[in-house]
Amino acid sequence: QVQLVESGGGSVQAGGSLRLSCTASRISMNLCMGWFRQAPGKEREGVISIDVDGRTRYRESVEGRFTISKDNTKKTLSLEMKYLQPEDTAMYYCGVSTLWRDCFVPTSYSYLGKGTQVTVSS
């Protein structure tokens, strides 16, 4: 079956950086893919996505700090996060949509990974 496996989470201090990776198997990379997050007691929120044409969408609070990239050969989706802030603390999930060209909204994803925890301390 389709698998999405995230890695790269961890604990950093405010201002630090992390790089998350999501390795996909048994699914095409020529689909809309992205990252969303969920903090304790909060709703899931879209963070960043990249559609089949390479266009990206960002949550306003991460624009300029987060970058998404995709390596179709390695079947990997990456999220480079810089200048992390405590409010970025959450479980981060990657997702892929087989239905929508635009998949920024978490409910648009057909498949999700199990997540990787990012904790930013002040």
Side-chain angles (χ1 to χ4, degrees), residues 41-95:
K42 294 189 176 181
E43 298 289 322
R44 289 179 172 180
E45 59 183 28
V47 176
I48 193 168
S49 62
I50 182 166
D51 70 16
V52 296
D53 297 316
R55 291 175 297 206
T56 57
R57 286 187 65 185
Y58 300 82
R59 183 170 197 82
E60 184 176 354
S61 63
V62 308
E63 190 166 4
R65 300 189 297 123
F66 290 13
T67 304
I68 191 170
S69 61
K70 191 165 59 168
D71 186 326
N72 291 347
T73 301
K74 295 181 179 179
K75 302 201 75 172
T76 301
L77 181 74
S78 297
L79 176 60
E80 187 77 37
M81 304 186 294
K82 298 181 179 180
Y83 309 112
L84 284 160
Q85 300 300 315
E87 51 266 34
D88 295 317
T89 294
M91 184 72 80
Y92 283 71
Y93 301 85
C94 74

Side-chain angles (χ1 to χ4, degrees), residues 8 21-22 28 35 40 48 56 64 71 91 94 107 109:
S21 294
C22 173
S28 170
W35 295 87
I48 193 168
T56 57
D71 186 326
M91 184 72 80
C94 74
T107 52
Y109 294 117

